Amino acid sequence: MPNLTVKDKSREYTHQIDGDRCTIGRGTTNTIPVEDAKASKEHCEVVRRGDRWKLVDLESKNGTKVNGTYKNTAWLEHDDEIAIGAARIRFGVGGARRSETVQAAAAGAGAGHGSARAEAEYAYDDDYDEGSRYRSDDGAEKFLKYGGFTLGVVLILLIVGYYARRASDDPYNVALLEHAEKLIAQGDYPGAIDYLESKVDDSGAGYHNVLRRIEELRDRAPVVAQQEREDEAEILVNRLAMKEKYYHQGKTRTTSPEEILEICEELKTKYADTDAARGAKRHWPGWFAGKVPERAVDYIAGDAKLRRDWDDTVRRADEYRREDRFLQAIETITRFVSVREALMNPGDLARYESFRDQKVRVYERLAESAYYKRDRIARGLVKSRRYDEGVKQFKQVIDRFGMDKYVRKAQAEIAKIKALKKKRQAGG
C-alpha cells in the first residue's frame, strides 16, 4: 500500500493510505492535517486512478509543488516530494523504488488495459500539466527560444524582400529617383518634378514608383514654396524694423527714409500674400502708405523738459501731502496736465493723464488713512475727557485736508464732542 511521510512545523510521521482518497490541508477534518500558514483548509488530495495515484490541487490559495514545480494535477511516483508551504510530504509505494513503479505501470498496461496504457504514456511526460494554473519555467524558455528564432526569420525575409524589390526595379529609374532626391535636399522641388517627368522610362521596371513620387512632390511643392516666401518676407521685415529704429534715433548715416520706403514697397508687391508682410503693414501703416513720420529725435529735447517739469510738480505735491494738505497736492498734479494739455501731442497727453490719475488715487487713499488715524486719536482723548484736544484733531482736518468729504465728517464729530462735553458738565 502507498504511504505519505509528512514533515511539517512540529512533527514527522508516516501515514498509510487505506482507501482510494486522502485529503491534505490545514483543516482538522482532512486525512492528513498540515500545520503551515500557507496551507489552505482543504489544500489538495491524493486519489487512486486504477493502479496509479494522482495529486489534485483543490484550488488552494498558495498552490502545490511536486518535486519543486507548481502543479495543479500530477501523477505520483515513488519518492516524489509534495511541498505545501514549508511542509514536505513524500509519496512512497511500500519498499518499491522509482524504476519499479514505472515497470509496474507498464506491466499493468501490457495486460490489455487500453486506458491504463494511455495513462501510462502521458503520465511520465514532464511537460504535461492538465489545466494547471502554474506553468513550469520550461515554457517561458521555449517561448523565448522559438519566438526569437521566428522573429529573426521574419526580419530576414523582410530584408531579402526589400532588396529583391530594389533589384527588380530598372536601374535607370532608380538612378532618376536618387538624383531627384538630391534636388529636393537643395529645396528645388520644381526642378525635381521637371527632371523626373522628362527623364522617366515608362517601359522600365519601377515606372510606377517614379510616378508616385512625382505626385507626392506636386502636393508638397506649393507648401514648400509658400514657406520659402514666408522666410524671405520675414528677413525683409526684420530689416525694416532695424532701419525704422535707426531712423527715429537720427542715425542718418546707416539709414534713410528712401530705404525704408523701398522695403515697404517690396513687401507690398512681391510678398503681399505672406503673414509677415501683412503683420508689418499693420505695425507701420504710415510707411506702407508712403508717409514719412517725424523723427523721434526731433522732439526728444522737448520731451525731456516735460519730464523734468513733471518731476518738480510731483515733489511739490508730495510736500503738501506730508503736511496733510491733500487737496492742494491733488490740485497741483491736476493743474500740471490742464495747463499743458494744448501743448502736448496725443501720446504725451495720454501718458501724463495716466500719471495724474495714478497720483490722485494715491493721495485720496492717504487722506482717508490720515483722517481715520486722527479719528482714533480724538476718540481716545474724548474717552479720557480731554474734549478740547479731541476737537483740535478734527479742526486740523478741516484746516488742512481741504476735501469736502472729510470736512463734513470732521464738523459732525466736533458737534458730537461739544454736545457730550456739555452733557457731562451739566451732570456734574
Side-chain angles (χ1 to χ4, degrees):
M1 293 298 291
N3 59 75
L4 296 172
T5 302
V6 183
K7 183 178 181 180
D8 60 12
K9 189 174 181 181
S10 62
R11 54 188 176 156
E12 181 176 358
Y13 63 95
T14 300
H15 175 81
Q16 198 77 23
I17 302 176
D18 296 331
D20 295 334
R21 181 172 179 267
C22 175
T23 60
I24 306 171
R26 185 164 41 82
T28 57
T29 58
N30 289 287
T31 310
I32 299 178
V34 176
E35 296 181 6
D36 193 280
K38 292 187 177 181
S40 299
K41 189 174 181 180
E42 293 182 354
H43 197 97
C44 63
E45 64 179 2
V46 177
V47 295
R48 183 195 293 273
R49 293 287 187 268
D51 295 333
R52 305 293 311 287
W53 291 86
K54 190 174 189 179
L55 172 80
V56 179
D57 186 271
L58 300 176
E59 299 296 328
S60 63
K61 181 179 179 181
N62 296 304
T64 306
K65 286 184 179 180
V66 178
N67 296 327
T69 302
Y70 282 107
K71 295 288 184 178
N72 197 29
T73 62
W75 292 100
L76 295 176
E77 301 177 14
H78 178 69
D79 212 28
D80 280 348
E81 182 183 71
I82 303 168
I84 301 174
R88 297 293 182 267
I89 303 172
R90 191 167 297 277
F91 177 79
V93 183
R97 295 185 298 273
R98 186 182 185 88
S99 60
E100 292 172 349
T101 60
V102 175
Q103 292 171 4
H113 303 288
S115 60
R117 178 182 297 275
E119 287 183 339
E121 288 178 354
Y122 68 75
Y124 301 102
D125 184 359
D126 292 337
D127 292 332
Y128 175 73
D129 191 359
E130 185 181 37
S132 176
R133 295 168 298 150
Y134 308 101
R135 303 293 181 187
S136 69
D137 295 338
D138 294 342
E141 293 176 359
K142 288 181 180 180
F143 174 78
L144 293 174
K145 177 179 178 181
Y146 295 111
F149 174 76
T150 304
L151 180 61
V153 171
V154 171
L155 290 175
I156 292 172
L157 291 176
L158 289 174
I159 294 171
V160 171
Y162 171 77
Y163 282 104
R165 183 179 177 185
R166 288 293 302 270
S168 65
D169 289 344
D170 185 354
Y172 175 76
N173 285 333
V174 172
L176 289 182
L177 289 172
E178 291 176 352
H179 183 71
E181 293 299 329
K182 293 180 181 178
L183 294 175
I184 293 169
Q186 298 171 3
D188 188 7
Y189 279 75
I193 294 172
D194 294 341
Y195 178 79
L196 291 175
E197 289 179 337
S198 62
K199 300 290 185 179
V200 65
D201 181 7
D202 56 2
S203 63
Y207 169 66
H208 294 288
N209 292 337
V210 177
L211 291 183
R212 190 183 308 112
R213 187 57 175 155
I214 290 173
E215 292 299 324
E216 292 174 356
L217 293 177
R218 282 175 177 167
D219 293 339
R220 178 65 180 161
V223 178
V224 174
Q226 183 62 27
Q227 185 59 49
E228 290 177 352
R229 288 170 52 76
E230 288 285 352
D231 295 340
E232 293 171 0
E234 188 67 30
I235 293 173
L236 281 176
V237 170
N238 290 337
R239 283 183 56 201
L240 173 60
M242 180 185 66
K243 294 287 185 182
E244 207 266 347
K245 177 182 177 182
Y246 288 163
Y247 172 77
H248 282 292
Q249 291 177 350
K251 297 180 179 180
T252 55
R253 292 185 179 181
T254 57
T255 189
S256 66
E258 290 75 15
E259 290 180 281
I260 298 175
L261 291 173
E262 287 177 5
I263 296 174
C264 292
E265 187 65 25
E266 186 175 2
L267 287 170
K268 286 194 298 183
T269 56
K270 188 176 179 180
Y271 300 100
D273 60 334
T274 62
D275 293 337
R278 288 192 287 266
K281 187 176 181 180
R282 289 193 299 269
H283 191 72
W284 295 289
W287 286 109
F288 275 81
K291 299 177 182 178
V292 179
E294 182 182 5
R295 291 187 302 174
V297 70
D298 294 335
Y299 53 83
I300 284 177
D303 183 71
K305 183 178 184 305
L306 190 64
R307 185 70 189 189
R308 288 195 299 272
D309 291 345
W310 168 257
D311 292 339
D312 291 340
T313 301
V314 170
R315 279 194 291 271
R316 289 198 305 274
D318 284 341
E319 290 176 1
Y320 291 136
R321 186 262 305 169
R322 284 190 286 271
E323 296 173 357
D324 287 347
R325 302 182 184 279
F326 295 102
L327 181 60
Q328 286 182 271
I330 291 173
E331 289 177 347
T332 302
I333 291 294
T334 305
R335 193 182 306 112
F336 174 87
V337 177
S338 61
V339 169
R340 295 168 176 78
E341 183 175 357
L343 303 176
M344 289 192 288
N345 60 54
D348 288 338
L349 179 60
R351 184 164 68 252
Y352 284 101
E353 283 179 343
S354 176
F355 291 162
R356 175 200 64 194
D357 295 341
Q358 184 179 0
K359 292 297 291 184
V360 167
R361 287 194 295 271
V362 170
Y363 291 150
E364 287 177 347
R365 288 197 298 270
L366 291 172
E368 182 179 15
S369 177
Y371 174 80
Y372 285 111
K373 180 179 178 181
R374 290 182 178 275
D375 182 74
R376 288 193 299 271
I377 294 172
R379 290 179 186 277
L381 293 171
V382 170
K383 189 175 181 180
S384 60
R385 300 197 177 190
R386 296 158 65 184
Y387 303 108
D388 294 338
E389 294 181 34
V391 169
K392 184 178 179 180
Q393 291 292 327
F394 288 111
K395 283 186 175 181
Q396 289 178 353
V397 171
I398 296 172
D399 295 340
R400 297 182 182 182
F401 281 36
M403 301 172 71
D404 291 341
K405 178 171 67 173
Y406 299 112
V407 168
R408 289 194 296 270
K409 285 184 177 182
Q411 289 173 344
E413 293 297 330
I414 289 173
K416 289 180 183 179
I417 295 172
K418 288 181 178 180
L420 180 61
K421 178 181 178 182
K422 185 177 180 180
K423 181 179 178 181
R424 289 186 176 176
Q425 286 176 347

